[in-house]
PDB file of all heavy atoms in Angstrom:
ATOM      1  N   ALA A  41       6.669   3.820 -28.362  1.00  0.00           N
ATOM      2  CA  ALA A  41       5.793   4.358 -29.402  1.00  0.00           C
ATOM      3  C   ALA A  41       6.555   4.692 -30.681  1.00  0.00           C
ATOM      4  O   ALA A  41       5.957   4.794 -31.750  1.00  0.00           O
ATOM      5  CB  ALA A  41       5.082   5.610 -28.895  1.00  0.00           C
ATOM      6  N   GLY A  42       7.863   4.855 -30.583  1.00  0.00           N
ATOM      7  CA  GLY A  42       8.674   5.209 -31.745  1.00  0.00           C
ATOM      8  C   GLY A  42       8.456   4.307 -32.942  1.00  0.00           C
ATOM      9  O   GLY A  42       8.171   4.791 -34.044  1.00  0.00           O
ATOM     10  N   PRO A  43       8.560   2.980 -32.785  1.00  0.00           N
ATOM     11  CA  PRO A  43       8.323   2.104 -33.936  1.00  0.00           C
ATOM     12  C   PRO A  43       6.910   2.221 -34.502  1.00  0.00           C
ATOM     13  O   PRO A  43       6.716   2.121 -35.710  1.00  0.00           O
ATOM     14  CB  PRO A  43       8.573   0.706 -33.373  1.00  0.00           C
ATOM     15  CG  PRO A  43       9.524   0.924 -32.239  1.00  0.00           C
ATOM     16  CD  PRO A  43       9.112   2.251 -31.649  1.00  0.00           C
ATOM     17  N   MET A  44       5.924   2.479 -33.631  1.00  0.00           N
ATOM     18  CA  MET A  44       4.561   2.649 -34.136  1.00  0.00           C
ATOM     19  C   MET A  44       4.437   3.961 -34.908  1.00  0.00           C
ATOM     20  O   MET A  44       3.760   4.021 -35.928  1.00  0.00           O
ATOM     21  CB  MET A  44       3.564   2.623 -32.978  1.00  0.00           C
ATOM     22  CG  MET A  44       3.436   1.255 -32.328  1.00  0.00           C
ATOM     23  SD  MET A  44       2.193   1.217 -31.043  1.00  0.00           S
ATOM     24  CE  MET A  44       3.065   2.017 -29.711  1.00  0.00           C
ATOM     25  N   LEU A  45       5.101   4.996 -34.412  1.00  0.00           N
ATOM     26  CA  LEU A  45       5.066   6.282 -35.100  1.00  0.00           C
ATOM     27  C   LEU A  45       5.828   6.229 -36.421  1.00  0.00           C
ATOM     28  O   LEU A  45       5.569   7.030 -37.318  1.00  0.00           O
ATOM     29  CB  LEU A  45       5.655   7.381 -34.206  1.00  0.00           C
ATOM     30  CG  LEU A  45       4.827   7.763 -32.984  1.00  0.00           C
ATOM     31  CD1 LEU A  45       5.628   8.689 -32.078  1.00  0.00           C
ATOM     32  CD2 LEU A  45       3.531   8.420 -33.401  1.00  0.00           C
ATOM     33  N   MET A  46       6.732   5.271 -36.551  1.00  0.00           N
ATOM     34  CA  MET A  46       7.498   5.149 -37.781  1.00  0.00           C
ATOM     35  C   MET A  46       6.565   4.851 -38.957  1.00  0.00           C
ATOM     36  O   MET A  46       6.789   5.336 -40.066  1.00  0.00           O
ATOM     37  CB  MET A  46       8.561   4.059 -37.649  1.00  0.00           C
ATOM     38  CG  MET A  46       9.484   3.986 -38.824  1.00  0.00           C
ATOM     39  SD  MET A  46      10.790   2.807 -38.478  1.00  0.00           S
ATOM     40  CE  MET A  46      11.408   2.579 -40.117  1.00  0.00           C
ATOM     41  N   GLY A  47       5.525   4.089 -38.709  1.00  0.00           N
ATOM     42  CA  GLY A  47       4.575   3.781 -39.774  1.00  0.00           C
ATOM     43  C   GLY A  47       3.892   5.026 -40.308  1.00  0.00           C
ATOM     44  O   GLY A  47       3.623   5.138 -41.493  1.00  0.00           O
ATOM     45  N   ALA A  48       3.608   5.984 -39.421  1.00  0.00           N
ATOM     46  CA  ALA A  48       2.922   7.201 -39.835  1.00  0.00           C
ATOM     47  C   ALA A  48       3.879   8.303 -40.272  1.00  0.00           C
ATOM     48  O   ALA A  48       3.590   9.056 -41.194  1.00  0.00           O
ATOM     49  CB  ALA A  48       2.048   7.709 -38.690  1.00  0.00           C
ATOM     50  N   LEU A  49       5.036   8.386 -39.594  1.00  0.00           N
ATOM     51  CA  LEU A  49       5.943   9.505 -39.838  1.00  0.00           C
ATOM     52  C   LEU A  49       7.246   9.095 -40.523  1.00  0.00           C
ATOM     53  O   LEU A  49       8.100   9.945 -40.752  1.00  0.00           O
ATOM     54  CB  LEU A  49       6.284  10.195 -38.513  1.00  0.00           C
ATOM     55  CG  LEU A  49       5.115  10.764 -37.715  1.00  0.00           C
ATOM     56  CD1 LEU A  49       5.596  11.263 -36.368  1.00  0.00           C
ATOM     57  CD2 LEU A  49       4.440  11.883 -38.481  1.00  0.00           C
ATOM     58  N   GLY A  50       7.410   7.829 -40.765  1.00  0.00           N
ATOM     59  CA  GLY A  50       8.671   7.375 -41.343  1.00  0.00           C
ATOM     60  C   GLY A  50       9.754   7.340 -40.265  1.00  0.00           C
ATOM     61  O   GLY A  50       9.463   7.240 -39.076  1.00  0.00           O
ATOM     62  N   PRO A  51      11.016   7.429 -40.662  1.00  0.00           N
ATOM     63  CA  PRO A  51      12.116   7.357 -39.691  1.00  0.00           C
ATOM     64  C   PRO A  51      12.043   8.427 -38.603  1.00  0.00           C
ATOM     65  O   PRO A  51      12.533   8.229 -37.499  1.00  0.00           O
ATOM     66  CB  PRO A  51      13.362   7.551 -40.545  1.00  0.00           C
ATOM     67  CG  PRO A  51      12.958   7.154 -41.917  1.00  0.00           C
ATOM     68  CD  PRO A  51      11.501   7.484 -42.034  1.00  0.00           C
ATOM     69  N   ALA A  52      11.416   9.541 -38.886  1.00  0.00           N
ATOM     70  CA  ALA A  52      11.284  10.599 -37.877  1.00  0.00           C
ATOM     71  C   ALA A  52      10.403  10.148 -36.713  1.00  0.00           C
ATOM     72  O   ALA A  52      10.499  10.702 -35.612  1.00  0.00           O
ATOM     73  CB  ALA A  52      10.713  11.857 -38.504  1.00  0.00           C
ATOM     74  N   GLY A  53       9.571   9.153 -36.921  1.00  0.00           N
ATOM     75  CA  GLY A  53       8.694   8.658 -35.863  1.00  0.00           C
ATOM     76  C   GLY A  53       9.461   8.134 -34.663  1.00  0.00           C
ATOM     77  O   GLY A  53       9.049   8.344 -33.525  1.00  0.00           O
ATOM     78  N   ILE A  54      10.568   7.458 -34.927  1.00  0.00           N
ATOM     79  CA  ILE A  54      11.385   6.941 -33.819  1.00  0.00           C
ATOM     80  C   ILE A  54      11.944   8.109 -33.015  1.00  0.00           C
ATOM     81  O   ILE A  54      11.927   8.097 -31.784  1.00  0.00           O
ATOM     82  CB  ILE A  54      12.500   6.019 -34.352  1.00  0.00           C
ATOM     83  CG1 ILE A  54      11.863   4.746 -34.924  1.00  0.00           C
ATOM     84  CG2 ILE A  54      13.501   5.682 -33.249  1.00  0.00           C
ATOM     85  CD1 ILE A  54      12.825   3.779 -35.540  1.00  0.00           C
TER      86      ILE A  54
END
Side-chain angles (χ1 to χ4, degrees):
M44 291 184 283
L45 291 171
M46 186 174 164
L49 301 173
I54 292 177

